[in-house]
Amino acid sequence: MFTTLKSAGMQSVHLFADQRSGLEALVAIHSTRLGPALGGCRYQPYASFDQALQDALRLAQGMSHKAALAGLPFGGGKAVILRAPHIDNRASLFEAFGRCIESLRGGYITSVDSGTGSADMDCVAQQTRYVTATSQAGDPSPLTAMGVLEGIRAAAAERLGSASLNGVRVALQGLGSVGYALAEMLVAEGAEVMAGDIDEGRVQLAVEELGIRALAAAAVSEAPCDIFAPCALGGVLDATVIDNLRCAVVAGAANNQLQHAADAERLLARGILYAPDYVINAGGLLHVALGWQGRSASEIAAQVMQIGPRLTDLFVESRAEARTPLAIAERRAAALLAD
Ligand code: NAD
């Protein structure tokens, strides 16, 4: 266990069990170097404890990097509640989880992730103030979309020679909370938006409401366009997909877009500019983190607008060094997190 923690550069891991509610949970804290560790709580079944631990460690480290590059005074952490086949009372499970978070005295602030929602965070909030993304805090998706739009502008300026999105062809994968809001913003900028989603109702709605062009969900990544914006699942970019891309830029909201870190090199080799996912999609994190600090909506929006200049900076350094924007982002995060 200690070898695993050391090799992941992890600060601490906390295990919790609550007899009454049946809670079994772990909290991984990657770093509190810049501030309290912030990160979501997953609630899902795992084949083994080891798998749950690995998931938490990987995600906690990702959160440290994301917060550091977003300029936030927060570190990275992640919680996992092991989902039992049957649970009597979901509210009491999350209240018990809230007591566990409270026992960490502010070292970790929890939030939503796969399998949890704002109603669960409301239960956590009955036991601790170290929780974000409650129903009172509001949906982070519009600010995530706004940050992605700023990132797309920066990428367009770098690769297409102008930050104007008028007439720029954007292929959007996924029209969920973020994708739909982004489509709306892109259309307002005069972009030529085409999109696909496995939920055909979402596509139909966007065609009718926004006038976008419909694509088959499986065809989005191969559509000829200027910008491919993955806003659905993670892991969409592997060697085969990258070979078949017909775009100049990949810039979207989805988390963990690359199957492997080496895929960033593949994109560079094909001359495709990649906006690192955890930099471009930090708007949601800014919303929950700064909202938790009690900052005003206009202050938060101003921070989200910085995502564009931050990416421009990465792109310039990446071009100067002929390295991937991801490599530059990783180097910057490591420097910010170094003791
Ligand atoms: P969502 O669940 O609301 O939307 C996802 C959409 O993708 C759904 O409409 C779904 O039908 C569609 N989809 C699923 N598989 C698909 C496929 N193979 N092809 C095309 N469409 C497919 O999720 P969201 O909140 O909009 O988030 C989208 C992505 O952005 C996720 O990867 C999420 O982790 C990431 N993200 C979201 C936020 C946020 O604030 N919501 C913040 C940061 C990152």
Side-chain angles (χ1 to χ4, degrees):
M1 175 78 130
F2 288 111
T3 315
T4 308
L5 296 199
K6 273 190 203 155
S7 67
M10 203 62 47
Q11 194 169 305
S12 60
V13 170
H14 307 262
L15 303 182
F16 298 99
D18 179 70
Q19 308 296 338
R20 206 146 30 107
S21 64
L23 175 83
E24 288 180 3
L26 69 90
V27 173
I29 295 181
H30 176 257
S31 169
T32 54
R33 163 94 177 74
L34 300 174
L38 174 61
C41 168
R42 289 202 159 174
Y43 179 46
Q44 58 187 49
Y46 285 91
S48 65
F49 170 78
D50 201 48
Q51 242 186 41
L53 177 67
Q54 292 303 337
D55 206 23
L57 298 183
R58 181 179 59 84
L59 295 164
Q61 186 189 40
M63 287 307 297
S64 280
H65 288 201
K66 188 167 183 169
L69 279 193
L72 282 166
F74 287 88
K78 211 81 184 186
V80 165
I81 299 179
L82 288 90
R83 190 179 191 125
H86 170 77
I87 194 87
D88 284 334
N89 187 335
R90 187 169 172 123
S92 79
L93 185 84
F94 280 92
E95 281 168 26
F97 179 63
R99 289 190 290 279
C100 301
I101 301 306
E102 180 63 19
S103 75
L104 296 172
R105 299 165 177 229
Y108 167 68
I109 302 166
T110 200
S111 184
V112 293
D113 202 311
S114 313
T116 58
S118 53
D120 300 318
M121 295 306 123
D122 291 346
C123 296
V124 174
Q126 289 180 25
Q127 306 295 328
T128 183
R129 66 188 181 89
Y130 301 114
V131 55
T132 65
T134 55
S135 30
Q136 206 188 3
D139 179 9
S141 308
L143 280 180
T144 301
M146 185 175 137
V148 174
L149 180 75
E150 293 311 308
I152 286 178
R153 264 196 241 283
E158 171 70 17
R159 185 47 52 92
L160 309 176
S162 165
S164 164
L165 299 178
N166 194 20
V168 170
R169 295 165 306 155
V170 184
L172 247 162
Q173 185 181 54
L175 285 166
S177 313
V178 179
Y180 201 94
L182 180 61
E184 218 167 351
M185 293 171 186
L186 286 165
V187 167
E189 295 286 323
E192 214 181 283
V193 181
M194 52 200 119
D197 192 300
I198 50 169
D199 179 345
E200 286 175 10
R202 298 292 291 176
V203 182
Q204 195 52 38
L205 191 68
V207 168
E208 284 163 17
E209 284 190 351
L210 309 176
I212 67 142
R213 183 153 69 83
L215 292 174
V220 182
S221 65
E222 294 179 12
C225 62
D226 299 304
I227 295 170
F228 169 50
C231 296
L233 307 169
V236 285
L237 295 163
D238 61 15
T240 312
V241 171
I242 291 170
D243 276 350
N244 293 321
L245 287 173
R246 294 163 80 189
C247 60
V249 169
V250 173
N255 276 315
N256 307 316
Q257 291 169 27
L258 307 178
Q259 283 245 318
H260 305 287
D263 294 323
E265 303 288 347
R266 288 196 175 92
L267 287 162
L268 183 71
R270 279 217 52 207
I272 296 171
L273 181 67
Y274 171 61
D277 47 14
Y278 66 88
V279 181
I280 194 170
N281 74 12
L285 175 63
L286 286 160
H287 168 86
V288 295
L290 299 175
W292 185 81
Q293 285 186 327
R295 308 273 283 276
S296 71
S298 61
E299 278 178 289
I300 298 173
Q303 291 294 318
V304 174
M305 297 298 282
Q306 288 308 307
I307 288 175
R310 195 165 283 130
L311 276 166
T312 298
D313 226 41
L314 282 184
F315 295 149
V316 168
E317 207 166 316
S318 147
R319 186 160 26 90
E321 295 187 24
R323 298 186 66 201
T324 68
L326 181 65
I328 307 296
E330 296 284 289
R331 184 174 68 196
R332 286 191 182 181
L336 287 164
L337 293 167
D339 286 326

